[in-house]
Amino acid sequence: MSGKADPRAAGEGTTSRTRLDRGRGALGPALELVHTGRAPTRAVLTAELGVTRATAGAVAAELEALGLIRVDARPGAAAGSQGRPSHRLAVAEDGPVVLAAQVHADGFRAALVGLGGRLVATAPGCETVDADPAKVLASVVDAGAELLRTTGRRCVGAGLAVPSAVAEPEGLALNPLHLAWPVGAPVRRIFEECVHAAGITPPAFAGNDVNLAALAEHRHGAGRGARDLLCVATGHRGVGGALVLDGRLHTGSSGLALEVGHLTVHPEGRLCHCGSRGCLDVEADPLAFLTAAGRDPGPEVSLLQQANDLIRGHYDDPSVRTATEALIDRLGLGLAGLVNILNPDRIILGGLHRTLLEADPDRLRAVVADRSLWGQSGGVPILPCTLDHNSLVGAAELAWQPVLDDPLGALT
């Protein structure tokens, strides 16, 4: 057997490297297309990237070599299709993960999340939150680290969702009122220290829970395809809002945009912790609903679950129906004001607000249409959020972003 190299093989290798070098800048955009489900085949990837088929093939092969995606070896033609079948693309089910953590008024939870927004593993949630953020974040990171040990997965980042505005660039939780944490707690620094103490070396990030829910829904859920997406949600306490513009969160100059909870919707209403009266924060959250329905909140389950269960199981009760309609009207007033200011092309609702929409969608849409200038000219689609644990998935999106921006640099 000759020891000489085949010149054709050498030429093919050089050509492949040239194609990859030419397409290296497309690695991040290509990964994001597969991550968000917008490029299910290599043919779609080629068209979306605006490159040649050969370059798209080299890019897909490199992402597969990094363990991020899978390219089917033997593509099959779809029924009724013509021409050469295209290779299907999917995120690698056994690829790397990020550690996602969420803290809210009724507890905290840790999870491992893969590309595509897939929850790979979750730790049992804790139902008590200490007033010391360092203790809470150490506990949730320990739970995540245990998941990494038991699954053996490679971790490439960590993200945290908290029920507070998070000021940038310092990563300070400015209003964690329902957690009894000190105002201005440096949650990102504390979280990063806990992550590194647990032996996890990748970068760590922190953000507001509703912002992160909106980001997750835009990439993987009810907000997919929207250009200007408004998300309003109430989880366990208070009301939050978020805006995604052209695929990116709009957080303002220092991370504090869209504090929609302090829109006044009932001027003679409840006193808000901000000093005003009748804010969405205290007029349209689970505690406000339970109070309006004449129910005393119990300690057995979260306020959110109690409110949801009451609407879904006892809507025929006059007191429950009246309370539901009152909250729908107040929520609708708030949404109408936001439509006038932001002109979104889609609104998605989470937490109790999703349940209010499901209970009487016509009433909510009518209030928004009647009270908003642009709503009267055709209406804005109002949809329920669709992802379970969307704030957790959004926290994971924070941690995945460096990989989406530069897969080769982040992983090698």
Side-chain angles (χ1 to χ4, degrees):
M1 182 175 182
S2 172
K4 294 182 179 179
D6 184 345
R8 292 173 300 174
E12 289 171 1
T14 300
T15 301
S16 178
R17 286 194 298 274
T18 300
R19 287 170 182 157
L20 179 58
D21 289 341
R22 190 181 302 128
R24 195 172 298 280
L27 285 175
L31 180 60
E32 184 162 336
L33 287 166
V34 178
H35 170 62
T36 56
R38 291 179 290 150
T41 68
R42 206 167 71 182
V44 176
L45 183 68
T46 301
E48 290 287 337
L49 293 177
V51 298
T52 66
R53 188 164 62 186
T55 298
V59 168
E62 178 69 7
L63 291 175
E64 185 172 37
L66 290 170
L68 296 171
I69 73 169
R70 291 287 176 263
V71 182
D72 64 347
R74 296 184 178 182
S81 65
Q82 296 180 353
R84 178 187 298 181
S86 182
H87 294 269
R88 296 199 65 79
L89 308 176
V91 297
E93 292 186 359
D94 58 349
V97 296
V98 297
L99 190 161
Q102 181 183 9
V103 180
H104 52 72
D106 291 304
F108 58 80
R109 179 179 293 275
L112 303 182
V113 184
L115 283 168
R118 299 173 302 109
L119 267 69
V120 173
T122 58
C126 176
E127 296 181 355
T128 58
V129 178
D130 195 276
D132 182 354
K135 290 182 179 179
V136 178
L137 296 182
S139 296
V140 73
V141 169
D142 285 346
E146 180 60 26
L147 291 176
L148 288 170
R149 284 190 290 271
T150 56
T151 62
R153 303 293 281 265
R154 178 187 179 186
C155 181
V156 296
L160 168 68
V162 293
S164 166
V166 178
E168 297 296 345
E170 299 88 354
L172 308 178
L174 292 189
N175 58 341
L177 301 173
H178 304 303
L179 298 181
W181 287 359
V183 173
V187 291
R188 188 175 63 216
R189 177 181 60 77
I190 296 171
F191 181 60
E192 186 173 44
E193 290 172 352
C194 292
V195 166
H196 292 168
I200 304 168
T201 56
F205 305 88
N208 169 262
D209 53 1
V210 179
N211 275 351
L212 300 182
L215 183 60
E217 292 284 346
H218 185 268
R219 291 183 175 178
H220 308 293
R224 184 181 290 172
R227 179 179 175 183
D228 298 333
L229 176 69
L230 172 64
C231 176
V232 176
T234 177
H236 300 267
R237 291 293 304 276
V239 174
L243 186 65
V244 180
L245 301 176
D246 290 326
R248 300 288 178 179
L249 275 172
H250 173 72
T251 55
S253 61
S254 58
L256 307 180
L258 271 293
E259 278 291 313
V260 305
H262 298 290
L263 288 172
T264 299
V265 293
H266 185 32
E268 305 304 320
R270 297 178 178 85
L271 182 66
C272 181
H273 48 77
C274 74
S276 185
R277 281 190 176 275
C279 296
L280 265 180
D281 219 46
V282 292
E283 295 288 344
D285 77 341
L287 181 60
F289 172 75
L290 293 170
T291 302
R295 303 308 201 267
D296 292 325
E300 299 82 10
V301 296
S302 70
L303 294 174
L304 176 60
Q305 184 175 335
Q306 291 178 62
N308 283 338
D309 290 348
L310 193 58
I311 295 174
R312 291 168 178 161
H314 303 278
Y315 192 61
D316 290 338
D317 184 317
S319 64
V320 174
R321 182 182 291 270
T322 299
T324 301
E325 292 175 347
L327 259 72
I328 286 175
D329 291 347
R330 289 166 192 169
L331 174 61
L333 285 174
L335 293 178
L338 292 168
V339 167
N340 287 335
I341 295 169
L342 302 173
N343 188 28
D345 61 356
R346 192 179 310 174
I347 298 171
I348 57 173
L349 302 179
L352 177 62
H353 295 165
R354 176 173 63 178
T355 309
L356 295 174
L357 174 64
E358 293 167 348
D360 197 340
D362 292 339
R363 186 184 186 98
L364 179 59
R365 289 173 179 137
V367 173
V368 175
D370 290 345
R371 295 301 187 106
S372 61
L373 178 62
W374 309 123
Q376 295 173 5
S377 64
V380 182
I382 304 176
L383 305 173
C385 291
T386 57
L387 297 179
D388 292 330
H389 308 298
N390 53 16
S391 291
L392 264 181
V393 175
E397 291 296 318
L398 279 185
W400 274 117
Q401 194 59 52
V403 181
L404 297 175
D405 291 338
D406 182 9
L408 199 61
L411 299 184
T412 64

